[in-house]
Amino acid sequence: MTVYEYGAKTLQGKEIPLSIYEGKVLLIVNTASKCGLTPQYKALQELYDQYHEHGLEILGFPSNQFAKQEPGSSEEISEFCQINYGVSFPMFAKTDVNGDQAHPLFRYLTQTAPGVLGSKAIKWNFTKFLITREGNVFKRYAPQTTPDKLAGDIEKLLQEK
């Protein structure tokens, strides 16, 4: 299995297959608008601006599962991201990333790349998964790992054809 087996709804409500990103390096992030880590949106957008033309896609998945820090509607999330951080990378509909209602993509990601001590759960907002051009999980990053710290790994994957 790869991430390309899954699909997700955008903030605009359109269901898209992740296979449209085949051949790209992906950074999949669960996000929130009212979190202490929310300023990472700015650094994510900077990564996107720097590497998008070289084959990077960042996919944001808002989640309200951590202290209810993503309470807004799809429209409110979209507006918040655009106005406050100029987010232009794809954002998806609010998503459960843990538990019985977890999106199948996040079940796959957490099974494939467990966290600290083998934990399958996502611990907080802004957990990041870097995906190879072939759709395989390369690495999982903790919420506190700032996006700029991923640049070396992103460059490495972008150079692999």
Side-chain angles (χ1 to χ4, degrees), residues 83-154:
I83 289 172
N84 293 291
Y85 297 101
V87 168
S88 62
F89 53 84
M91 292 289 295
F92 291 82
K94 207 181 303 189
T95 303
D96 280 357
V97 297
N98 286 328
D100 293 341
Q101 301 302 312
H103 190 286
L105 171 64
F106 281 89
R107 282 197 211 124
Y108 166 77
L109 292 171
T110 56
Q111 291 289 325
T112 306
V116 176
L117 303 176
S119 170
K120 302 279 191 274
I122 290 178
K123 297 293 188 207
W124 202 250
N125 304 308
F126 292 90
T127 297
K128 302 157 200 73
F129 295 89
L130 188 58
I131 311 299
T132 68
R133 291 182 187 271
E134 294 77 35
N136 299 309
V137 179
F138 175 75
K139 191 171 181 181
R140 176 180 178 156
Y141 303 88
Q144 299 82 2
T145 304
T146 55
D148 60 302
K149 302 283 192 267
L150 282 60
D153 287 343
I154 290 169

Side-chain angles (χ1 to χ4, degrees), residues 10-157:
T10 65
L11 279 177
Q12 295 74 33
K14 182 181 178 192
E15 182 76 30
I16 62 164
L18 295 188
S19 61
I20 67 168
Y21 300 112
E22 200 162 339
K24 305 256 185 199
V25 172
L26 302 178
L27 183 61
I28 298 174
V29 186
N30 68 299
T31 63
S33 299
K34 299 191 180 313
C35 173
L37 300 175
T38 299
Q40 285 192 26
Y41 271 127
K42 180 179 188 293
L44 288 168
Q45 184 60 45
E46 288 169 356
L47 274 183
Y48 189 70
D49 291 342
Q50 183 174 359
Y51 296 111
H52 181 250
E53 68 183 40
H54 303 290
L56 175 70
E57 283 290 349
I58 296 176
L59 309 181
F61 286 85
S63 181
N64 198 36
Q65 287 192 292
F66 305 100
K68 308 247 183 265
Q69 294 182 340
E70 188 58 89
S73 67
S74 290
E75 295 78 24
E76 290 167 331
I77 294 167
S78 179
E79 187 174 303
F80 173 86
C81 290
Q82 181 57 44
I83 289 172
N84 293 291
Y85 297 101
V87 168
S88 62
F89 53 84
M91 292 289 295
F92 291 82
K94 207 181 303 189
T95 303
D96 280 357
V97 297
N98 286 328
D100 293 341
Q101 301 302 312
H103 190 286
L105 171 64
F106 281 89
R107 282 197 211 124
Y108 166 77
L109 292 171
T110 56
Q111 291 289 325
T112 306
V116 176
L117 303 176
S119 170
K120 302 279 191 274
I122 290 178
K123 297 293 188 207
W124 202 250
N125 304 308
F126 292 90
T127 297
K128 302 157 200 73
F129 295 89
L130 188 58
I131 311 299
T132 68
R133 291 182 187 271
E134 294 77 35
N136 299 309
V137 179
F138 175 75
K139 191 171 181 181
R140 176 180 178 156
Y141 303 88
Q144 299 82 2
T145 304
T146 55
D148 60 302
K149 302 283 192 267
L150 282 60
D153 287 343
I154 290 169
E155 288 175 8
K156 176 183 174 187
L157 293 183

